[in-house]
């Protein structure tokens, strides 16, 4: 069933109107047109969703694990069936190109495949006769109700990191998607119901920060998984932890791409371009600062500038588009204010792409800065738009020092033909996801999506075996049974 323009929450397997009066328009960022509205759920809506999730928990956690995995498998089959529809929804409400949108749906489906087998990764172990007549057994159990709060920039993929694994492991879930991209979330909620995932196991509550904040302190919520910007991640982490919940909060980024003089510049430039300008730079793995190690700077900047000028900016549903719009006019203005700031700080704009003339969409010209210095704000703060800064550094050591001075540590990459340098980079760089001759080091679903420093709060990572640990807790059972003398 297609989404109606005026969305409702989905609680306990049914559409349920929000009890609050507030609604927010949802905009197509390529055209500036309203495509519907989303409810601004209030405390009562959150309470209803958490109550439904709590009520479903005993039955669902007691459901045999194979049965739970098969439900997730049916959901995966429906995602496969509807992947193009979902990608089109992402293009429409987020602005990604169709290629980027399809890529993100495929990555999400990989996480669902992982979830189907996740229970097989549960660490159960035993230690017989740990002391005389005493045996130890270790069990992994679901946590209970998990709340997931997701960002706008991956409307589907980030949620698919979370709820399929959480529910496959026996938890129930309340998802609060970004209010800026709620239609793709609605499609996923409908598919979960169609897959026969029982009512209450996955609940979808729309809204903005008020709905999110109600979840952080709701007594019925046991854990919070969050992905979003750095200030909000810090707030979510401290608030939910203070309310006694297990929390994982992935945050913002400022990713460095180091280019050594021996790099294959042709492929490095392709890779840097797609890292910095793919998804209009609205990716937590986007390369944002190039560290050009002397003497590669002049040639690298010349080649990058040529390519940036040639980028085609336009609507995501136009197959010739390289760079789509950014999410909202306020965000466009913020990115443009960073471009002005960079110039005021003394950086040089060496290339800008064209935007579609007269378009009401939220387009930003792809921009390349040269002669950026490490202390400038454009070099340090997350811009989250199609802006790439080049810092020239005299040595490899200096490149490492600049990258490691960042408050963030999400991703970093090096371009070189020297295996020793690549190895040294891997050892010394303070980032969780590292690329060697590739600019978007996104781990596959079986591996952790892991940020360091200010890019993540909490002990574990969002995907792979660390997600399995996040969504479960351990129970150790010590049993003493007198030995049966008749048996010996
Ligand atoms: P955001 O922090 O504005 O919003 C994320 C979610 O939090 C949304 O659901 C939103 O409704 C909610 N929210 C917003 N303000 C809140 C508040 N004050 N209190 C409680 N909840 C609040 O982030 P965004 O703009 O939607 O997403 C972009 C950001 O997410 C970027 O900084 C990007 O780097 C980051 N991100 C990080 C990763 C990662 O894995 N580290 C992945 C994707 C995106």
């Amino acid at each position: 069933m297609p989404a109606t323009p005026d969305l409702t929450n989905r609680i306990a397997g049914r559409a349920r109107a929000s009890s609050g009066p507030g609604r927010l328009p949802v905009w197509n960022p390529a055209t500036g047109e309203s495509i519907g509205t989303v409810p601004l759920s209030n405390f009562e809506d959150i309470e209803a969703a958490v109550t439904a999730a709590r009520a479903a928990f005993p039955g669902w956690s007691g459901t045999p694990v194979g049965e739970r995995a098969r439900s997730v498998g049916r959901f995966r089959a429906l995602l496969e069936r509807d992947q193009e529809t979902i990608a089109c929804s992402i293009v429409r409400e987020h602005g990604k190109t169709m290629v980027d949108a399809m890529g993100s749906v495929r990555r999400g489906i990989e996480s669902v495949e992982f979830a189907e087998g996740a229970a097989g990764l549960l660490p159960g172990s035993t230690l017989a006769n740990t002391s005389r007549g005493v045996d130890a057994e270790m069990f992994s159990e679901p946590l209970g109700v998990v709340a997931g709060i997701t960002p706008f920039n991956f409307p589907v993929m980030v949620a698919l990191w979370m709820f399929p694994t959480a529910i496959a492991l026996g938890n129930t879930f309340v998802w609060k998607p970004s209010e800026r991209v709620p239609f793709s979330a609605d499609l996923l909620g409908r598919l979960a119901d169609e897959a026969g995932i029982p009512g209450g196991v996955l609940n979808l509550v729309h809204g903005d920060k008020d709905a999110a904040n109600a979840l952080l302190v709701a007594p019925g919520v046991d854990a919070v998984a969050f992905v979003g910007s750095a200030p909000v991640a810090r707030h979510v982490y401290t608030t939910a932890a203070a309310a006694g919940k297990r929390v994982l909060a992935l945050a913002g980024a400022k990713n460095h791409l180091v280019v050594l003089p021996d790099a294959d510049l042709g492929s490095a430039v392709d890779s840097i371009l797609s890292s910095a300008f793919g998804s209009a730079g609205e990716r937590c793995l986007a390369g944002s600062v190039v560290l050009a190690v002397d003497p590669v700077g002049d040639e690298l900047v010349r080649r990058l500038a040529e390519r940036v000028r040639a980028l085609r900016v336009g609507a995501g549903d136009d197959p010739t588009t390289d760079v789509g719009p950014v999410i909202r006019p306020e965000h466009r203005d913020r990115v443009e204010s960073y471009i002005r700031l960079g110039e005021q700080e003394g950086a040089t704009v060496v290339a800008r792409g064209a935007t579609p003339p007269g378009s009401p969409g939220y387009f930003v010209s792809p921009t390349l800065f040269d002669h950026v210095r490490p202390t400038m704000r454009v070099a340090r703060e997350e811009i989250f738009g199609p802006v790439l800064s080049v810092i020239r550094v005299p040595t490899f050591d200096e490149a490492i020092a600049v990258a490691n001075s960042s408050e963030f540590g999400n991703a970093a990459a090096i371009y070189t033909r020297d295996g020793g340098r690549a190895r040294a980079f891997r050892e010394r760089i303070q980032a969780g996801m590292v690329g060697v001759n590739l600019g978007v080091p996104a781990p596959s679903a079986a591996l952790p999506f892991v940020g360091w420093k200010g890019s993540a709060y909490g002990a574990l990572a969002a995907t792979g075996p660390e997600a399995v640990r996040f969504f479960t807790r351990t129970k150790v059972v010590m049993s003493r049974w007198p030995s049966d003398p008749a048996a010996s």
Side-chain angles (χ1 to χ4, degrees):
M1 207 197 309
T4 62
D6 298 311
L7 289 174
T8 49
N9 295 332
R10 299 189 75 77
I11 296 176
R14 282 191 297 278
R16 182 173 159 148
S18 163
S19 51
R23 299 191 76 85
L24 204 63
V26 182
W27 306 96
N28 177 337
T31 62
E33 288 163 348
S34 168
I35 54 177
T37 65
V38 62
L40 290 173
S41 298
N42 59 17
F43 186 79
E44 282 164 40
D45 300 318
I46 292 297
E47 205 170 53
V50 174
T51 302
R54 274 249 81 85
F57 179 66
W60 182 245
S61 57
T63 299
V65 60
E67 219 174 288
R68 293 198 306 251
R70 281 192 292 281
S71 294
V72 173
R74 287 193 298 275
F75 174 63
R76 197 229 333 119
L78 297 175
L79 288 172
E80 301 265 7
R81 184 194 72 189
D82 289 358
Q83 55 185 313
E84 282 195 20
T85 309
I86 298 167
C88 287
S89 164
I90 294 173
V91 169
R92 188 157 172 256
E93 65 182 355
H94 174 283
K96 280 185 203 290
T97 63
M98 192 61 188
V99 171
D100 278 342
M102 272 303 280
S104 74
V105 176
R106 288 305 320 167
R107 293 304 295 245
I109 290 174
E110 285 170 20
S111 290
V112 189
E113 286 165 356
F114 173 81
E116 286 176 72
L121 297 175
L122 288 177
S125 61
T126 57
L127 185 57
N129 231 16
T130 178
S131 62
R132 195 168 301 280
V134 175
D135 300 325
E137 297 160 284
M138 198 170 85
F139 296 86
S140 289
E141 297 190 358
L143 295 170
V145 175
V146 178
I149 301 168
T150 51
F152 82 84
N153 67 321
F154 281 96
V156 162
M157 185 188 79
V158 169
L160 293 180
W161 289 352
M162 296 178 180
F163 74 75
T165 299
I167 68 174
L169 295 167
N171 299 283
T172 56
F173 205 92
V174 179
W175 175 22
K176 204 297 285 172
S178 167
E179 65 278 23
R180 294 183 275 187
V181 289
F183 283 96
S184 311
D186 185 71
L187 288 177
L188 261 53
R190 288 164 188 267
L191 292 186
D193 292 341
E194 190 183 338
I197 292 173
V201 172
L202 174 67
N203 305 277
L204 177 56
V205 192
H206 294 286
D208 62 4
K209 62 179 176 11
D210 292 342
N213 282 319
L215 276 171
L216 303 184
V217 296
V221 169
D222 298 290
V224 175
F226 171 88
V227 176
S229 61
V232 181
R234 276 193 294 273
H235 158 72
V236 165
Y237 186 70
T238 52
T239 308
K245 303 181 194 319
R246 183 179 288 198
V247 199
L248 178 61
L250 302 193
K254 189 79 183 174
N255 304 315
H256 295 81
L257 308 172
V258 174
V259 183
L260 295 187
D262 72 344
D264 172 346
L265 279 194
S267 65
V269 165
D270 286 344
S271 166
I272 292 167
L273 219 74
S274 103
S275 174
F277 299 103
S279 280
E282 292 175 326
R283 281 199 295 219
C284 71
L285 290 180
S288 179
V289 177
V290 166
L291 293 162
V293 178
D294 284 345
V296 81
D298 285 348
E299 178 61 10
L300 178 65
V301 169
R302 189 189 66 73
R303 291 190 190 209
L304 282 171
E306 203 175 287
R307 296 285 296 279
V308 169
R309 283 185 208 106
L311 286 171
R312 286 180 301 264
V313 180
D317 57 7
D318 177 344
T320 67
T321 293
D322 299 310
V323 180
V326 298
I327 189 72
R328 287 287 178 272
E330 311 83 66
H331 187 54
R332 175 196 59 202
D333 296 348
R334 183 172 177 274
V335 174
E336 282 177 348
S337 78
Y338 268 110
I339 296 170
R340 287 193 297 277
L341 176 69
E343 290 183 288
Q344 286 157 15
E345 288 180 306
T348 318
V349 172
V350 284
R352 293 209 77 184
T355 50
S359 168
Y362 319 141
F363 297 104
V364 177
S365 304
T367 301
L368 179 67
F369 275 120
D370 194 6
H371 302 297
V372 173
R373 287 190 307 280
T375 49
M376 292 178 179
R377 283 181 55 201
V378 285
R380 308 197 68 79
E381 297 175 13
E382 185 178 45
I383 298 173
F384 222 54
V387 180
L388 179 63
S389 296
V390 177
I391 299 179
R392 297 178 181 229
V393 287
T395 61
F396 173 67
D397 284 348
E398 183 66 16
I400 297 274
V402 172
N404 285 350
S405 72
S406 173
E407 69 174 285
F408 298 109
N410 216 38
I414 186 166
Y415 298 92
T416 181
R417 288 188 171 95
D418 181 335
R421 277 295 161 89
R423 188 164 193 267
F425 184 75
R426 187 252 292 163
E427 287 171 348
R428 292 169 59 191
I429 197 73
Q430 291 169 13
M433 293 171 278
V434 177
V436 176
N437 296 322
L438 61 86
V440 183
S444 63
L447 297 170
F449 198 99
V450 54
W452 282 22
K453 302 199 287 186
S455 290
Y457 298 87
L460 294 165
T463 55
E466 295 203 19
V468 173
R469 285 181 57 206
F470 181 75
F471 291 126
T472 52
R473 56 187 163 180
T474 307
K475 183 178 277 173
V476 178
V477 178
M478 309 288 287
S479 312
R480 185 196 300 280
W481 293 105
S483 294
D484 180 357
S488 55

